[in-house]
Amino acid sequence: MSTDTENRLSVPDAAALLGTAIGQVQQVIVGQEHMVEQLMVGLLSKGHILLEGVPGTAKTLAVRTFATVVGGSFARIQFTPDLVPSDIVGTRVYSASKETFDVELGPVFTNFVLADEINRAPAKVQSAMLELMAEKQVSIAGTSHPVPDPFIVIATENPIESEGVYPLPEAQRDRFLLKVDVPYPKGNEELEILRRMSVRPPLAAPVLGPAQTEQLQDIASSVFVHNLVAEYIVRLVLATRDPAQFNMPDLTKVIQIGCSSRATLGLVSAARAVALIHGRDYVLPTDVQAVALDVMAHRLMLTFDAIADNVNPGQVVERVLAMVPAPTPVWNSQSQNARQTRGQQRRDPDTGRAAS
């Protein structure tokens, strides 16, 4: 027990290690700082990530590089309309020599699963992915097979494709902790891509491993969340369910279904991860605001009229963030005097030193 305590990383050391890992990924990926950081947030939060962007924005390359830096096993599955569940989770194969059926596990039994173009898969494959993401196990012939730990599904989808595409059901979208929009690179970043990738592309070096990853996840889960910050998170979620109570009556005609309780838990875990990445052992309201868009937007269901008016779920989340006040510490002379008085009372009257 004492050995585990001695080997446990401190918060500054964990933040430095995470910074090194993120830096290794950014040696290969030009720009896209938000996407790279959110990949690390998802890893620390033990949550799945959905990347949405047009082709050629380095989504697949970023995930592959991230898996190399973090360590552990990695598998890429290209989703197609003719895919069946046994192609990804495995099946039973008859062994003639033993005259029995052997279980052949599929490619999802790995630490990092890259589900490329996940919205191309039909409904049966999506249901298999739903069990995999929710339970971290698959059922083959009535037997459950757990996946290794740590385990994360990082899926990509193309927002402009409409042919041969099966939109993800709301239940499966809710399973993703984060949905990150991946934009085109800026002009200077495009020039750096040309300079860096037109010759021998750089390679990332491994920084972490499965054991270190689990330790960092434990540290992130123990980051302190004050009651005021927790109440702020709850108010953000409640504002999407009943916006009229939060002085936003116009949103009642925009939001059909608000965020689920997974959004509440997701905001807490993602904000803890952001705080750890920035070297803090406590969560600030700004940490919650930094992840609110990626945690909440894909969980909102807008009305038909709002969709017809081209209302973006991200705009709704930004409005909620603007209208729901965040907690702010207020220091006044009375509280300062009270703290000084308490500090004087704790001192030993004989030695003048702080009492134990």
Side-chain angles (χ1 to χ4, degrees):
M1 191 71 179
S2 60
T3 305
D4 295 339
T5 305
E6 292 174 359
N7 295 334
R8 183 180 175 88
L9 288 171
S10 64
V11 171
D13 292 339
L17 193 60
L18 292 171
T20 302
I22 293 175
Q24 281 293 322
V25 178
Q26 291 177 338
Q27 283 188 4
V28 178
I29 304 300
V30 179
Q32 307 293 7
E33 291 88 357
H34 179 70
M35 175 183 65
V36 174
E37 181 172 315
Q38 294 303 80
L39 287 174
M40 188 62 73
V41 168
L43 175 67
L44 295 174
S45 306
K46 304 179 184 180
H48 310 296
I49 307 167
L50 178 62
L51 304 179
E52 185 177 88
V54 297
T57 50
K59 300 185 297 295
T60 303
L61 178 62
V63 176
R64 186 180 295 275
T65 305
F66 181 76
T68 300
V69 172
V70 173
S73 53
F74 169 79
R76 173 186 175 183
I77 305 174
Q78 186 68 46
F79 280 54
T80 56
D82 59 347
L83 208 64
V84 294
S86 59
D87 292 333
I88 62 172
V89 302
T91 185
R92 292 198 304 168
V93 179
Y94 181 72
S95 176
S97 60
K98 296 186 292 184
E99 296 184 352
T100 57
F101 284 93
D102 295 333
V103 175
E104 190 73 26
L105 298 179
V108 296
F109 286 86
T110 184
N111 296 119
F112 295 93
V113 176
L114 171 57
D116 224 346
E117 295 187 287
I118 190 173
N119 54 339
R120 286 188 177 274
K124 287 185 178 181
V125 177
Q126 298 294 356
S127 66
M129 287 296 297
L130 189 61
E131 180 191 6
L132 176 70
M133 296 167 60
E135 308 296 337
K136 294 188 177 180
Q137 67 178 23
V138 298
S139 299
I140 303 175
T143 304
S144 298
H145 301 271
V147 295
D149 199 24
F151 175 78
I152 292 181
V153 173
I154 305 176
T156 67
E157 66 176 358
N158 183 355
I160 63 173
E161 199 77 41
S162 59
E163 211 170 313
V165 169
Y166 301 83
L168 295 182
E170 286 74 15
Q172 187 171 355
R173 293 175 70 89
D174 198 32
R175 297 290 180 180
F176 286 101
L177 171 67
L178 303 167
K179 177 181 173 292
V180 183
D181 292 327
V182 185
Y184 276 124
K186 301 175 183 177
N188 60 327
E189 295 171 348
E190 196 79 35
L191 185 61
E192 178 62 20
I193 291 173
L194 176 63
R195 185 192 68 81
R196 189 182 299 184
M197 295 299 181
S198 59
V199 290
R200 181 180 297 176
L203 299 175
V207 177
L208 305 175
Q212 277 186 315
T213 299
E214 291 183 7
Q215 186 180 7
L216 290 170
Q217 289 174 341
D218 292 339
I219 297 173
S221 64
S222 62
V223 171
F224 175 72
V225 180
H226 195 276
N227 286 339
L228 292 177
V229 178
E231 291 173 0
Y232 174 58
I233 291 173
V234 172
R235 288 199 304 271
L236 289 176
V237 175
L238 293 180
T240 65
R241 301 175 188 173
D242 192 358
Q245 286 191 356
F246 293 84
N247 300 321
M248 295 178 288
D250 54 309
L251 290 186
T252 56
K253 298 181 180 180
V254 175
I255 302 175
Q256 181 177 0
I257 298 178
C259 294
S260 67
S261 297
R262 288 196 186 99
T264 307
L265 299 175
L267 286 172
V268 172
S269 59
R272 280 174 164 155
V274 172
L276 180 60
I277 290 174
H278 290 86
R280 282 182 279 104
D281 60 353
Y282 55 91
V283 173
L284 295 175
T286 52
D287 298 328
V288 179
Q289 295 164 359
V291 297
L293 182 63
D294 295 333
V295 172
M296 299 173 64
H298 66 285
R299 291 183 162 92
L300 291 175
M301 286 186 62
L302 305 184
T303 61
F304 179 79
D305 292 339
I307 296 174
D309 292 338
N310 293 323
V311 176
N312 191 324
Q315 297 172 341
V316 177
V317 175
E318 290 175 354
R319 174 78 188 284
V320 170
L321 290 173
M323 293 298 293
V324 177
T328 54
V330 178
W331 303 108
N332 52 38
S333 58
Q334 292 180 351
S335 62
Q336 289 178 353
N337 293 334
R339 289 199 311 276
Q340 291 175 359
T341 303
R342 286 196 300 268
Q344 292 174 357
Q345 290 175 350
R346 291 195 186 102
R347 293 184 177 277
D348 191 312
D350 297 327
T351 63
R353 296 180 181 179
S356 58

